[in-house]
Amino acid sequence: MEYKNIVFQKEDKVAVLTISRPKALNALNSETLKELDLVIDEIANDDEIYAVILTGEGKAFVAGADISEMKDLDVISGRKFGQLGNRVFRKLESLEKPVIAAVNGFALGGGCELSMACDIRIASSKAKFGQPEVGLGITPGFGGTQRLPRLVGLGMAKELIYTAKIIKADEALRIGLVNKVVEPEELLAEARALANIIAGQAPIAVSLCKAAINKGMQLDIDSAIAYEAEIFGECFSTEDQKNGMTAFIEKTEKCFKNK
Ligand code: CAA
């Protein structure tokens, strides 16, 4: 399928999604959010894709939700716009494949929120992060008030959100918002290398780990451990478990089939 604001490429077992509205610094308007919704479905239904990289074209990852679209919204349409973004980001977060954000530049507002809906964030040294919404008279609307404190802790999240301040990549690394910072020209290669390592593991097991971590973080420890036991058991119904363990015992090459 062709998209207007998203470039979707497949490289072996890795999908690379590039948000591409560079004239508006890849700001997320409804059209782009709806395309993101569709491309997530496309990826979910493609058994050949084991990992996803999400990045932006030009000098921004995503500079936020589209301010020109939001400017004249009212209570009803504002809520609807927030619900659209949240639904799509939650879908991305729940996608049964790991997603790496390769944050190439500005990740502000909805852009920072989009990166947080991914599993892992790698940043270019030129990237900048922030939730500048209160400077526009709004709250973060695509999950920022919820995912930022979960990632960096309450105090740091409140400081970032209340002050609207924009931080550089090294500060984002220091507070745990990103996993790694690399030089801009190394960003995609680094993200690909990581995606390839993940794509070389048993994909169903990786997917179940994602589900266990994401779901477990919302549960009390006893329920979370019980859920882990469930999915651990489920692994033994897969061919990949048999292949992986047989290869280990017989000292042969492992070959996962996503089955
Ligand atoms: N929405 C719509 N258009 C945007 C945009 C956004 N979030 N961010 C940038 N643009 C547009 C600019 O209006 C400009 O368009 P024109 O050329 O037509 O004037 C173009 O992109 C280039 O931007 P700048 O000229 O401003 O570029 P710069 O390098 O001088 O500044 C920047 C870069 C600091 C990122 C600045 O563009 C900026 O502050 N952008 C807004 C960031 C922001 O506030 N994001 C949060 C949005 S609210 C949100 O996201 C709510 C939510 O949680 C859902």
Side-chain angles (χ1 to χ4, degrees):
M1 191 167 164
E2 285 291 307
Y3 300 97
K4 203 172 140 201
N5 304 312
I6 295 175
V7 179
F8 172 32
Q9 292 160 304
K10 267 168 69 173
E11 296 167 8
D12 199 13
K13 292 171 180 167
V14 178
V16 181
L17 289 185
T18 308
I19 310 287
S20 181
R21 268 190 94 206
K23 281 190 182 148
L25 300 189
N26 305 327
L28 298 173
N29 57 2
S30 306
E31 185 181 60
T32 308
L33 286 168
K34 285 174 187 162
E35 288 191 353
L36 196 52
D37 191 19
L38 291 174
V39 80
I40 295 169
D41 283 337
E42 196 174 335
I43 290 171
N45 292 327
D46 189 332
D47 289 343
E48 289 173 0
I49 297 173
Y50 290 10
V52 183
I53 295 171
L54 180 60
T55 192
E57 189 180 331
K59 71 175 181 181
F61 174 68
V62 165
D66 192 304
I67 298 169
S68 45
E69 182 173 339
M70 285 186 294
K71 187 176 149 289
D72 296 320
L73 297 183
D74 59 18
V75 175
I76 306 280
S77 52
R79 186 179 299 135
K80 234 175 137 182
F81 188 62
Q83 285 166 342
L84 170 65
N86 268 319
R87 182 176 62 72
V88 175
F89 284 18
R90 187 77 179 122
K91 189 184 220 180
L92 179 69
E93 189 173 43
S94 311
L95 179 67
E96 293 177 352
K97 302 169 196 258
V99 184
I100 299 166
V103 183
N104 51 303
F106 293 110
L108 303 177
C112 186
E113 292 167 311
L114 179 61
S115 79
M116 292 191 291
C118 300
D119 296 289
I120 295 169
R121 283 149 295 285
I122 300 181
S124 146
S125 55
K126 286 195 175 155
K128 291 194 174 138
F129 294 82
Q131 297 288 161
E133 286 88 347
V134 293
L136 294 164
I138 56 171
T139 59
F142 296 167
T145 59
Q146 304 310 310
R147 292 193 182 92
L148 191 59
R150 283 167 167 81
L151 262 175
V152 303
L154 274 184
M156 195 57 79
K158 285 179 175 172
E159 183 180 333
L160 283 171
I161 291 172
Y162 298 172
T163 61
K165 79 174 168 193
I166 292 173
I167 59 169
K168 292 183 175 166
D170 56 353
E171 176 68 354
L173 179 66
R174 195 185 68 76
I175 66 173
L177 180 53
V178 303
N179 294 43
K180 191 170 185 178
V181 178
V182 298
E183 288 311 308
E185 58 278 9
E186 291 166 9
L187 180 66
L188 278 182
E190 188 75 27
R192 272 196 198 98
L194 182 59
N196 285 335
I197 292 172
I198 296 171
Q201 314 306 317
I204 297 171
V206 172
S207 170
L208 288 172
C209 289
K210 175 168 176 172
I213 295 168
N214 283 358
K215 187 169 170 161
M217 291 299 285
Q218 317 303 323
L219 297 173
D220 65 277
I221 187 73
D222 290 321
S223 312
I225 289 296
Y227 183 65
E228 187 189 75
E230 278 299 307
I231 59 132
F232 180 69
E234 212 176 294
C235 296
F236 294 88
S237 70
T238 66
E239 281 183 33
D240 284 347
Q241 174 268 324
K242 305 289 177 241
N243 290 341
M245 292 195 179
T246 304
F248 176 81
I249 301 288
E250 295 179 357
K251 301 191 191 313
T252 55
E253 196 74 18
K254 60 189 174 190
C255 173
F256 294 123
K257 295 180 180 158
N258 199 11
K259 285 184 185 159

